[in-house]
Amino acid sequence: MDRKEIGRKIEKLRKERNMSQYQLALDAGLSASYIPDLEKGLKCPTVETLDSICYALHITLGEFFTKPEEKLYRSKLDTLSEKQKKLLNDFLDSL
């Protein structure tokens, strides 16, 4: 994921939560001018800064980097019984 993709994802998540750039910066402990620069792809956050942003957005770093289709697969896997999970695992191992 490059800096522009990171910026677009931060902007998308922020807007989904109806947060202003200022509020996100405040909640993440960052300067008010930093979030617009990130969202434009002008800056690339450190892992620590991105973790602070994720905390302010109420998600984990793992969730930030998880693709939507991966979430769908995980939710489907969660509905399987232990026996079904074992059968699926055995099938995948056989490939």
Side-chain angles (χ1 to χ4, degrees):
M1 187 178 281
D2 67 21
R3 72 176 64 189
K4 288 188 181 204
E5 290 173 302
I6 290 172
R8 284 192 296 267
K9 181 120 184 207
I10 290 170
E11 181 178 21
K12 177 182 176 285
L13 292 167
R14 176 182 61 77
K15 287 181 175 180
E16 285 174 357
R17 287 154 180 76
N18 296 315
M19 293 177 81
S20 67
Q21 291 175 328
Y22 177 79
Q23 187 62 53
L24 178 56
L26 187 67
D27 290 355
L30 303 168
S31 71
S33 63
Y34 190 69
I35 299 299
D37 286 348
L38 279 179
E39 291 182 358
K40 292 176 194 168
L42 301 175
K43 297 200 175 193
C44 190
T46 64
V47 173
E48 291 82 9
T49 299
L50 187 55
D51 187 49
S52 296
I53 291 169
C54 288
Y55 183 80
L57 293 169
H58 305 287
I59 62 169
T60 65
L61 274 172
E63 289 170 319
F64 183 85
F65 289 106
T66 300
K67 296 178 182 174
E69 61 271 13
E70 290 174 14
K71 289 179 186 176
L72 177 63
Y73 298 145
R74 284 192 185 137
S75 68
K76 287 185 178 185
L77 286 173
D78 288 342
T79 65
L80 297 177
S81 69
E82 289 304 313
K83 183 178 180 180
Q84 290 170 319
K85 288 177 185 178
K86 183 181 181 336
L87 288 169
L88 177 58
N89 192 46
D90 291 345
F91 169 74
L92 292 172
D93 284 344
S94 73
L95 295 178

